[in-house]
Amino acid sequence: MSFFKNTFAAVGVLSVAAVAAAFAMGADITRGWDPKAGEVLTSFAERYATTDLATAAVVRIPVDDGLSPDDVVDSMKLRANMRNIKLVGEKPLHQQIEAIDGTPYRYTGIFEFCDAATAKEMLEYNPDYVAFMPCRIALFSDREGKYWLSTMNMDLLIHGGKELHPELKAKAVKVREGLMDIMQAGAKGEL
C-alpha cells in the first residue's frame, strides 16, 4: 500500500514540477510579445478548432444584395484612393479558371492594395513580411451566388507575436483600418 502512496506522491510532485516548468518556459517564450497576442491567438485558435486554417485566418464580410461585382470594385477603388492606398494589381481568377476549364465559373477576383511607405518599414523590420504583401482583398461569389469580400486577418501579423515598435505598429494598424474601410465601402457600394 505504501508503494502506491509513494508512487502517486511522486507522480503528483512530477506533475507539479512539469506544470511549473511549462509555465516558466511559456513566460520566457512570450517575453516581448504584443500585449494583445494572447487574445488574438486565442480567437484564431477557437476559429481554427471549428473551421479550417484558411477560414480562421481571414476576415470575411457579406456584400449587400443587389450590388454587382463592378459596383463593389468601383467602391473599393474610390475608397482606396481616398485613403491613399494604391491598387497595385487585379487578378480576375474566374477568367483564368474559365480559360483552362472552358466553362463559366462564378466571379472570383483578387485585388492587391499597398501603402508602399509602410511596406518598406515592415520589410526593414522583418523581410519575411514580403510573403504577405501586397495586401489582398478577394471578391467572390459563393455557390449560392452571394458575394463576399475577404482579406487576411492582419491582427495576426500586428498583434500575434513579437511586439512591433510603436511607430511601425501605428502604421500597420492604419493600413489594417484602411483595408477594412475599403471592404466596408465595397460591401455597401458606397461612392
Side-chain angles (χ1 to χ4, degrees):
M1 187 69 153
S2 68
F3 170 76
F4 289 116
K5 280 184 183 178
N6 291 338
T7 301
F8 287 130
V11 168
V13 168
L14 289 175
S15 296
V16 169
V19 168
F23 179 77
M25 287 175 52
D28 189 47
I29 291 170
T30 60
R31 187 166 306 158
W33 278 27
D34 188 278
K36 291 185 178 180
E39 175 186 334
V40 168
L41 294 174
T42 298
S43 175
F44 169 77
E46 288 171 351
R47 290 186 70 199
Y48 186 34
T50 60
T51 60
D52 59 33
L53 180 61
T55 302
V58 300
V59 175
R60 178 167 41 148
I61 60 172
V63 171
D64 285 356
D65 292 337
L67 293 176
S68 71
D70 287 340
D71 296 332
V72 175
V73 172
D74 288 346
S75 294
M76 288 195 307
K77 287 178 179 179
L78 286 170
R79 188 57 54 93
N81 192 44
M82 289 171 53
R83 285 197 157 265
N84 201 28
I85 296 176
K86 304 300 177 211
L87 177 65
V88 296
E90 290 183 54
K91 296 178 175 30
L93 184 58
H94 62 286
Q95 291 176 0
Q96 291 295 317
I97 294 169
E98 290 169 359
I100 292 169
D101 193 336
T103 59
Y105 193 74
R106 63 185 182 265
Y107 187 93
T108 308
I110 302 165
F111 302 87
E112 298 176 326
F113 294 92
C114 188
D115 173 342
T118 301
K120 178 185 176 192
E121 289 188 47
M122 294 298 284
L123 292 172
E124 292 299 318
Y125 172 76
N126 180 350
D128 288 333
Y129 276 94
V130 74
F132 301 96
M133 294 179 185
C135 299
R136 291 170 187 86
I137 296 176
L139 169 61
F140 64 94
S141 172
D142 64 19
R143 289 181 184 96
E144 289 76 39
K146 173 77 178 149
Y147 290 107
W148 296 87
L149 289 165
S150 178
T151 193
M152 179 186 70
N153 181 352
M154 284 186 61
D155 283 342
L156 293 168
L157 292 176
I158 297 169
H159 303 292
K162 184 178 173 186
E163 187 168 21
L164 300 172
H165 62 76
E167 298 83 19
L168 181 57
K169 186 177 189 178
K171 290 177 182 180
V173 167
K174 183 178 176 185
V175 169
R176 183 204 59 215
E177 289 170 353
L179 289 174
M180 294 310 299
D181 187 37
I182 292 166
M183 287 176 64
Q184 290 294 337
K188 301 289 181 202
E190 296 174 351
L191 298 178

